[in-house]
Coordinates of all heavy atoms in Angstrom, one line a residue:
M1 N 34.2 66.2 -16.8 CA 34.4 64.9 -16.2 C 35.7 65.0 -15.4 O 36.7 65.5 -15.9 CB 34.5 63.8 -17.3 CG 34.6 62.5 -16.6 SD 34.6 61.0 -17.7 CE 34.5 61.5 -19.4
T2 N 35.8 64.5 -14.2 CA 37.0 64.5 -13.4 C 37.8 63.2 -13.6 O 37.2 62.1 -13.8 CB 36.7 64.7 -11.9 OG1 35.9 63.7 -11.5 CG2 36.0 66.1 -11.7
K3 N 39.0 63.3 -13.5 CA 39.9 62.1 -13.6 C 39.9 61.3 -12.2 O 40.0 61.9 -11.2 CB 41.3 62.6 -13.9 CG 42.2 61.4 -14.2 CD 43.6 62.0 -14.6 CE 44.5 60.8 -15.0 NZ 45.8 61.3 -15.4
A4 N 39.6 60.1 -12.3 CA 39.6 59.2 -11.1 C 41.0 59.1 -10.5 O 42.0 59.0 -11.3 CB 39.0 57.9 -11.4
K5 N 41.1 59.0 -9.2 CA 42.4 58.8 -8.6 C 42.7 57.4 -8.7 O 41.9 56.5 -8.6 CB 42.3 59.2 -7.1 CG 42.1 60.6 -6.8 CD 42.2 60.9 -5.3 CE 42.0 62.4 -5.1 NZ 42.0 62.7 -3.7
T6 N 44.0 57.1 -9.0 CA 44.5 55.7 -9.2 C 45.0 55.3 -7.8 O 45.8 56.0 -7.2 CB 45.6 55.7 -10.2 OG1 45.1 56.2 -11.4 CG2 46.1 54.3 -10.5
N7 N 44.6 54.1 -7.5 CA 45.1 53.5 -6.2 C 46.6 53.0 -6.5 O 46.8 52.2 -7.3 CB 44.2 52.3 -5.8 CG 44.6 51.7 -4.5 OD1 45.7 52.0 -4.0 ND2 43.8 50.9 -4.0
F8 N 47.5 53.6 -5.7 CA 48.9 53.2 -5.9 C 49.2 51.8 -5.7 O 50.2 51.2 -6.3 CB 49.8 54.1 -5.0 CG 50.0 53.6 -3.6 CD1 51.1 52.9 -3.3 CD2 49.0 53.8 -2.7 CE1 51.3 52.4 -2.0 CE2 49.1 53.3 -1.4 CZ 50.3 52.6 -1.0
L9 N 48.4 51.1 -4.9 CA 48.6 49.7 -4.7 C 48.5 48.8 -5.9 O 49.1 47.7 -6.1 CB 47.7 49.1 -3.6 CG 47.9 49.7 -2.2 CD1 46.7 49.3 -1.3 CD2 49.2 49.2 -1.6
N10 N 47.7 49.3 -6.9 CA 47.5 48.6 -8.1 C 48.8 48.4 -8.9 O 48.9 47.6 -9.8 CB 46.4 49.2 -9.0 CG 45.1 49.2 -8.4 OD1 44.8 48.3 -7.6 ND2 44.2 50.1 -8.7
F11 N 49.8 49.2 -8.7 CA 51.1 49.2 -9.4 C 52.0 48.2 -8.8 O 53.1 48.0 -9.3 CB 51.7 50.6 -9.5 CG 50.9 51.5 -10.3 CD1 50.1 52.5 -9.7 CD2 50.9 51.5 -11.7 CE1 49.3 53.3 -10.4 CE2 50.2 52.4 -12.4 CZ 49.4 53.3 -11.8
L12 N 51.7 47.6 -7.6 CA 52.5 46.7 -6.9 C 52.1 45.2 -7.1 O 50.9 44.9 -7.4 CB 52.5 47.0 -5.4 CG 52.9 48.4 -5.0 CD1 52.7 48.6 -3.5 CD2 54.4 48.6 -5.4
V13 N 53.1 44.3 -7.0 CA 52.7 42.9 -7.1 C 51.9 42.5 -5.9 O 51.9 43.1 -4.8 CB 54.0 42.0 -7.2 CG1 54.7 42.3 -8.5 CG2 54.9 42.2 -6.0
A14 N 51.1 41.4 -6.0 CA 50.1 41.0 -5.0 C 50.8 40.8 -3.6 O 50.2 41.2 -2.6 CB 49.4 39.8 -5.4
P15 N 52.0 40.1 -3.5 CA 52.5 40.0 -2.2 C 52.9 41.3 -1.5 O 52.7 41.4 -0.3 CB 53.8 39.2 -2.5 CG 53.5 38.4 -3.7 CD 52.7 39.4 -4.5
A16 N 53.3 42.3 -2.3 CA 53.6 43.6 -1.7 C 52.3 44.3 -1.2 O 52.3 44.9 -0.2 CB 54.4 44.4 -2.7
Q17 N 51.3 44.2 -2.0 CA 50.0 44.8 -1.6 C 49.5 44.2 -0.3 O 49.1 44.9 0.6 CB 48.9 44.5 -2.7 CG 49.2 45.2 -4.0 CD 48.1 44.9 -5.0 OE1 47.0 44.5 -4.7 NE2 48.4 45.1 -6.3
R18 N 49.6 42.8 -0.2 CA 49.1 42.2 1.0 C 50.0 42.5 2.2 O 49.4 42.7 3.3 CB 49.1 40.6 0.8 CG 48.0 40.2 -0.1 CD 47.9 38.6 -0.1 NE 49.1 38.0 -0.6 CZ 49.3 37.6 -1.9 NH1 48.4 37.9 -2.8 NH2 50.4 37.0 -2.2
A19 N 51.3 42.7 2.0 CA 52.2 43.1 3.1 C 51.8 44.5 3.6 O 51.8 44.7 4.8 CB 53.6 43.0 2.7
L20 N 51.7 45.4 2.7 CA 51.4 46.8 3.1 C 50.1 46.9 3.8 O 50.0 47.5 4.9 CB 51.4 47.7 1.8 CG 52.7 48.0 1.2 CD1 52.5 48.8 0.0 CD2 53.6 48.8 2.2
I21 N 49.1 46.2 3.3 CA 47.7 46.3 3.9 C 47.7 45.5 5.2 O 47.3 46.0 6.3 CB 46.7 45.9 3.0 CG1 46.6 46.8 1.8 CG2 45.3 45.8 3.6 CD1 45.8 46.3 0.6
G22 N 48.1 44.3 5.1 CA 48.0 43.3 6.3 C 48.9 43.6 7.4 O 48.6 43.5 8.6
E23 N 50.2 43.9 7.1 CA 51.2 44.0 8.2 C 51.4 45.4 8.7 O 51.6 45.6 9.8 CB 52.6 43.5 7.7 CG 52.6 42.0 7.4 CD 53.9 41.5 6.9 OE1 54.9 42.0 7.5 OE2 54.0 40.6 6.1
L24 N 51.2 46.4 7.8 CA 51.4 47.8 8.2 C 50.2 48.6 8.2 O 50.2 49.8 8.7 CB 52.5 48.4 7.3 CG 53.9 47.8 7.3 CD1 54.8 48.5 6.4 CD2 54.5 47.7 8.7
G25 N 49.1 48.1 7.6 CA 47.9 48.9 7.6 C 47.9 50.0 6.6 O 47.1 51.0 6.8
I26 N 48.7 49.9 5.6 CA 48.8 51.0 4.6 C 47.8 50.8 3.5 O 47.8 49.8 2.9 CB 50.3 51.1 4.0 CG1 51.3 51.5 5.1 CG2 50.3 52.0 2.8 CD1 52.7 51.4 4.6
T27 N 47.0 51.8 3.4 CA 46.0 51.8 2.3 C 46.1 53.1 1.4 O 45.5 53.1 0.3 CB 44.6 51.7 2.8 OG1 44.3 52.8 3.7 CG2 44.4 50.4 3.6
K28 N 46.8 54.1 1.9 CA 46.9 55.3 1.1 C 48.4 55.7 1.0 O 49.2 55.3 1.9 CB 46.2 56.5 1.9 CG 44.7 56.3 1.9 CD 44.1 57.5 2.6 CE 44.2 57.3 4.1 NZ 43.6 58.2 5.0
L29 N 48.7 56.3 -0.1 CA 50.1 56.7 -0.3 C 50.7 57.5 0.8 O 51.9 57.3 1.2 CB 50.2 57.5 -1.7 CG 51.6 57.7 -2.2 CD1 52.4 56.5 -2.4 CD2 51.5 58.5 -3.5
Q30 N 49.9 58.4 1.4 CA 50.4 59.2 2.5 C 50.8 58.4 3.7 O 51.7 58.8 4.5 CB 49.3 60.2 3.0 CG 48.9 61.2 2.0 CD 47.5 61.0 1.6 OE1 47.0 59.9 1.4 NE2 46.8 62.1 1.5
D31 N 50.3 57.2 3.9 CA 50.6 56.3 5.0 C 52.1 55.8 4.9 O 52.7 55.5 5.9 CB 49.7 55.0 5.0 CG 48.3 55.4 5.3 OD1 48.0 56.5 5.8 OD2 47.4 54.5 4.9
L32 N 52.6 55.8 3.7 CA 54.0 55.3 3.6 C 55.0 56.2 4.3 O 56.1 55.7 4.7 CB 54.4 55.3 2.1 CG 53.9 54.2 1.3 CD1 54.2 54.4 -0.2 CD2 54.3 52.8 1.8
S33 N 54.7 57.5 4.5 CA 55.7 58.4 5.2 C 55.9 58.0 6.6 O 56.9 58.5 7.2 CB 55.2 59.8 5.1 OG 54.0 60.0 5.8
R34 N 55.1 57.2 7.2 CA 55.4 56.8 8.6 C 56.4 55.7 8.7 O 56.8 55.3 9.8 CB 54.1 56.2 9.2 CG 53.0 57.2 9.3 CD 51.7 56.7 9.9 NE 51.4 55.4 9.2 CZ 50.3 54.7 9.4 NH1 49.5 55.0 10.3 NH2 50.1 53.6 8.7
F35 N 56.9 55.1 7.6 CA 57.8 54.0 7.6 C 59.1 54.3 6.9 O 59.1 55.1 6.0 CB 57.1 52.8 7.0 CG 55.9 52.4 7.7 CD1 54.6 52.8 7.3 CD2 55.9 51.6 8.9 CE1 53.5 52.5 8.0 CE2 54.8 51.2 9.6 CZ 53.6 51.7 9.1
T36 N 60.2 53.6 7.3 CA 61.5 53.8 6.7 C 61.6 52.9 5.5 O 60.9 51.9 5.4 CB 62.6 53.6 7.7 OG1 62.6 52.2 8.0 CG2 62.5 54.5 8.9
K37 N 62.6 53.1 4.7 CA 62.9 52.2 3.6 C 63.3 50.9 4.1 O 62.9 49.8 3.6 CB 64.1 52.8 2.8 CG 64.6 52.0 1.6 CD 65.7 52.7 0.9 CE 66.2 51.8 -0.2 NZ 67.3 52.5 -0.9
K38 N 64.0 50.8 5.2 CA 64.3 49.5 5.9 C 63.1 48.8 6.3 O 63.0 47.5 6.1 CB 65.2 49.8 7.1 CG 65.7 48.5 7.7 CD 66.7 48.9 8.9 CE 67.1 47.6 9.6 NZ 68.1 47.9 10.7
D39 N 62.1 49.5 6.8 CA 60.8 48.8 7.2 C 60.2 48.2 6.0 O 59.7 47.0 6.0 CB 59.8 49.8 7.8 CG 60.2 50.4 9.1 OD1 61.0 49.7 9.9 OD2 59.8 51.5 9.4
L40 N 60.1 48.9 4.9 CA 59.4 48.4 3.7 C 60.2 47.3 3.0 O 59.6 46.3 2.6 CB 59.2 49.6 2.7 CG 58.3 50.7 3.2 CD1 58.3 51.8 2.2 CD2 56.9 50.2 3.5
L41 N 61.5 47.4 3.0 CA 62.3 46.3 2.4 C 62.3 45.0 3.2 O 62.6 43.9 2.6 CB 63.7 46.8 2.1 CG 63.9 47.8 1.1 CD1 65.4 48.3 1.0 CD2 63.5 47.3 -0.3
S42 N 61.9 45.1 4.4 CA 61.8 43.9 5.2 C 60.5 43.1 5.0 O 60.4 41.9 5.4 CB 61.9 44.2 6.7 OG 60.7 44.8 7.1
L43 N 59.6 43.7 4.2 CA 58.3 43.0 3.9 C 58.5 42.1 2.7 O 59.2 42.3 1.8 CB 57.3 44.0 3.6 CG 56.9 45.0 4.7 CD1 56.0 46.1 4.2 CD2 56.3 44.3 5.9
H44 N 57.7 41.0 2.8 CA 57.6 40.1 1.6 C 57.0 40.9 0.4 O 56.1 41.6 0.6 CB 56.7 38.9 1.9 CG 56.6 37.9 0.8 ND1 57.6 37.1 0.5 CD2 55.6 37.7 -0.1 CE1 57.3 36.4 -0.6 NE2 56.0 36.7 -0.9
G45 N 57.6 40.7 -0.7 CA 57.2 41.4 -1.9 C 58.0 42.6 -2.3 O 57.8 43.2 -3.3
F46 N 58.8 43.0 -1.3 CA 59.6 44.2 -1.6 C 61.1 43.9 -1.7 O 61.9 44.8 -1.9 CB 59.5 45.2 -0.4 CG 58.2 46.0 -0.5 CD1 57.0 45.5 0.0 CD2 58.2 47.3 -1.2 CE1 55.9 46.3 -0.1 CE2 57.0 48.0 -1.3 CZ 55.9 47.5 -0.8
R47 N 61.5 42.7 -1.6 CA 62.9 42.3 -1.7 C 63.3 42.5 -3.2 O 62.6 42.2 -4.1 CB 63.1 40.9 -1.3 CG 62.8 40.7 0.2 CD 63.0 39.3 0.6 NE 62.5 39.1 2.0 CZ 61.3 38.6 2.3 NH1 60.5 38.2 1.4 NH2 60.9 38.5 3.5
R48 N 64.6 42.9 -3.3 CA 65.1 43.1 -4.6 C 65.3 41.8 -5.4 O 65.8 40.8 -4.8 CB 66.5 43.8 -4.5 CG 67.1 44.0 -5.9 CD 68.3 44.8 -5.7 NE 68.1 45.9 -6.7 CZ 68.8 46.9 -6.8 NH1 69.9 47.1 -6.1 NH2 68.6 47.8 -7.7
Q49 N 64.9 41.7 -6.6 CA 65.0 40.5 -7.4 C 66.1 40.7 -8.4 O 66.1 41.7 -9.1 CB 63.6 40.3 -8.1 CG 62.5 40.2 -7.2 CD 61.8 38.9 -7.1 OE1 61.8 38.2 -8.1 NE2 61.3 38.5 -6.0
N50 N 66.9 39.7 -8.5 CA 68.0 39.7 -9.5 C 67.4 39.1 -10.8 O 67.0 38.0 -10.8 CB 69.2 39.0 -9.1 CG 69.9 39.6 -7.9 OD1 69.9 40.9 -7.8 ND2 70.5 38.9 -7.1
R51 N 67.4 39.9 -11.9 CA 66.8 39.4 -13.1 C 67.9 39.4 -14.2 O 68.7 40.2 -14.3 CB 65.6 40.2 -13.6 CG 64.5 40.0 -12.6 CD 63.3 40.7 -13.1 NE 62.2 40.5 -12.1 CZ 61.0 40.9 -12.3 NH1 60.7 41.6 -13.3 NH2 60.1 40.7 -11.4

């Protein structure tokens, strides 16, 4: 039996998932390499939360 690939989006909160898919069209982990850290942090759901 082969191990199923885990979708990396499942590890993110829903707002971050929607931002990646809807705003940047990211559906695969490899797609992230086209964007900078600044690009990603500007999206809703990626802002640092003080806890």
Side-chain angles (χ1 to χ4, degrees):
M1 185 174 5
T2 61
K3 188 175 182 179
K5 290 184 181 180
T6 303
N7 185 348
F8 82 100
L9 292 171
N10 293 336
F11 295 101
L12 302 174
V13 295
Q17 290 179 25
R18 289 190 296 268
L20 286 176
I21 295 167
E23 294 182 38
L24 300 180
I26 292 175
T27 57
K28 294 182 276 184
L29 190 56
Q30 297 115 316
D31 296 338
L32 285 174
S33 66
R34 297 180 307 184
F35 300 94
T36 65
K37 180 179 177 179
K38 185 177 179 180
D39 293 333
L40 297 174
L41 290 175
S42 71
L43 299 172
H44 180 73
F46 280 87
R47 294 180 189 100
R48 179 170 234 175
Q49 306 246 327
N50 293 328
R51 294 183 181 186

